[in-house]
């Protein structure tokens, strides 16, 4: 049986920030990498996660449009795939495909060996955030728990 990958299997409340302080792309990648490093699944070695996210951005922006970015990277600092989520109320110029500022950030890191799960999570997030109603609900969440519940509810539809 094919198991469905769920974002909520890889994210927890302590990996959610409702008020990112960053003012630009570099700062937000630092902040998001620090958020990921709160997880016991991520070793904080010499800014490895940050460096991996930067290297991935050099290939092309993960700002996919409609106010959303999905920075992601493979790194041996990740013991297993881990997802974090952040909201920037101000919006950040992330060199998005549509040139709009980004407010919603799904960020994840994965060990190099987990390519299948990595790609499935990326595809899952990409599908979920297509709907404007879902993006709006996420943006308006007032607690980390509410973010997780919002994602969970969407995944269970």
């Amino acid at each position: 049986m094919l198991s469905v990958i769920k974002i909520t299997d890889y994210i927890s409340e302590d990996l959610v920030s409702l008020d990112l302080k960053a003012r630009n792309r570099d700062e937000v990648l630092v902040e998001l990498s620090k958020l990921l490093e709160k997880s016991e699944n991520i070793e904080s070695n010499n800014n490895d996660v940050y460096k991996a996210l930067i290297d991935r951005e050099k290939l092309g922006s993960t700002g996919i449009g409609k106010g959303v970015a999905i920075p992601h990277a493979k790194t041996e600092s990740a013991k297993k795939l881990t997802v974090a989520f952040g909201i920037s109320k101000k919006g950040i110029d992330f060199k998005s495909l549509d040139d709009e500022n980004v407010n919603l950030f799904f960020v994840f890191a994965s060990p190099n060996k987990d390519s299948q799960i990595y790609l499935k999570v990326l595809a899952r997030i990409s599908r979920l955030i297509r709907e404007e109603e879902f993006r709006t609900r996420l943006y308006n969440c007032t607690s980390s728990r509410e973010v997780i519940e919002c994602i969970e509810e969407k995944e269970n539809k």
Side-chain angles (χ1 to χ4, degrees), residues 19-75:
D19 188 22
L20 294 170
K21 303 295 184 212
R23 295 179 310 271
N24 59 48
R25 186 162 82 159
D26 250 9
E27 287 178 8
V28 82
L29 290 174
V30 168
E31 199 169 347
L32 292 170
S33 66
K34 296 287 181 224
L35 192 57
L36 278 171
E37 288 172 3
K38 287 182 180 181
S39 170
E40 63 191 27
N41 299 322
I42 306 289
E43 297 169 2
S44 49
N45 297 339
N46 302 320
N47 296 319
D48 283 353
V49 173
Y50 169 72
K51 290 172 189 169
L53 290 172
I54 287 287
D55 287 345
R56 171 56 191 86
E57 288 301 317
K58 287 177 184 171
L59 300 175
S61 178
T62 56
I64 60 171
K66 299 186 185 322
V68 178
I70 311 174
H72 54 281
K74 292 181 185 177
T75 172

Side-chain angles (χ1 to χ4, degrees), residues 4-11 70 72 81-84 106-110 114-128 155:
V4 175
I5 298 289
K6 291 194 168 192
I7 299 161
T8 48
D9 291 339
Y10 301 97
I11 190 171
I70 311 174
H72 54 281
L81 189 133
T82 305
V83 178
F106 280 94
V107 58
F108 64 96
S110 169
D114 282 350
S115 288
Q116 288 295 87
I117 295 172
Y118 179 90
L119 292 172
K120 287 179 179 178
V121 166
L122 182 58
R124 182 95 173 149
I125 293 170
S126 298
R127 270 195 308 278
L128 291 181
E155 288 186 310

Side-chain angles (χ1 to χ4, degrees), residues 93-147:
D93 178 1
F94 208 76
K95 313 281 185 265
S96 290
L97 299 177
D98 62 2
D99 289 325
E100 288 185 25
N101 282 353
V102 172
N103 299 97
L104 304 175
F105 292 88
F106 280 94
V107 58
F108 64 96
S110 169
N112 292 321
K113 68 183 187 307
D114 282 350
S115 288
Q116 288 295 87
I117 295 172
Y118 179 90
L119 292 172
K120 287 179 179 178
V121 166
L122 182 58
R124 182 95 173 149
I125 293 170
S126 298
R127 270 195 308 278
L128 291 181
I129 53 87
R130 283 185 192 151
E131 292 180 31
E132 185 175 355
E133 178 191 343
F134 178 64
R135 294 191 309 271
T136 301
R137 282 192 58 211
L138 273 177
Y139 181 80
N140 290 319
C141 286
T142 56
S143 71
S144 298
R145 179 77 228 139
E146 193 179 344
V147 168

